[in-house]
Amino acid sequence: MGNASSTLTQYDIEEVQEHCNNLFSQQEIVSLYQRFCQLDRNAKGFISADEFLSVPEFAMNPLSQRLLKMVDGLNFKEFVAFLSAFSAKASMPQKIERRCYK
């Protein structure tokens, strides 16, 4: 899972699910992994600030510079944990914990 060009194993999926308090289904994690790999253009295993800024919606966000401080250099597991704060299934304490993750 460290290399973005590798594929997720069942173990990887379950590990990410557990890390994120089961807020995402296995299919959602696979979809997030595919998106992560698209963003990680150099297959470094993490997403740089420049790669995040390549997403027009992110780059146009007036809070993008603040968000970059939180997301720059996230690996896949951290990426999913960060996104879990936006899940409707997450409790308020979980959202706060994830927001302060990095």
Side-chain angles (χ1 to χ4, degrees):
M1 188 168 54
N3 183 347
S5 64
S6 65
T7 58
L8 285 176
T9 65
Q10 184 65 31
Y11 175 80
D12 293 332
I13 293 169
E14 290 171 4
E15 181 182 354
V16 171
Q17 276 186 303
E18 183 178 321
H19 183 70
C20 297
N21 300 314
N22 295 304
L23 293 173
F24 295 108
S25 70
Q26 290 191 7
Q27 184 55 46
E28 288 170 323
I29 290 172
V30 169
S31 295
L32 288 170
Y33 186 71
Q34 290 168 348
R35 183 62 175 143
F36 179 86
C37 290
Q38 290 171 347
L39 290 171
D40 182 17
R41 291 188 220 143
N42 297 325
K44 299 175 304 294
F46 64 89
I47 304 174
S48 69
D50 289 336
E51 290 167 328
F52 272 108
L53 288 173
S54 72
V55 178
E57 294 84 358
F58 188 89
M60 292 178 3
N61 188 317
L63 300 175
S64 64
Q65 293 306 310
R66 289 184 184 177
L67 288 170
L68 280 178
K69 291 178 183 176
M70 296 174 68
V71 299
D72 186 27
L74 294 182
N75 65 29
F76 178 64
K77 188 191 268 188
E78 295 164 340
F79 175 73
V80 176
F82 174 77
L83 293 177
S84 70
F86 300 99
S87 172
K89 298 177 197 172
S91 67
M92 189 55 69
Q94 289 171 321
K95 290 175 185 276
I96 292 169
E97 175 187 335
R98 294 302 177 192
R99 192 182 78 202
C100 300
Y101 185 74
K102 195 162 182 180

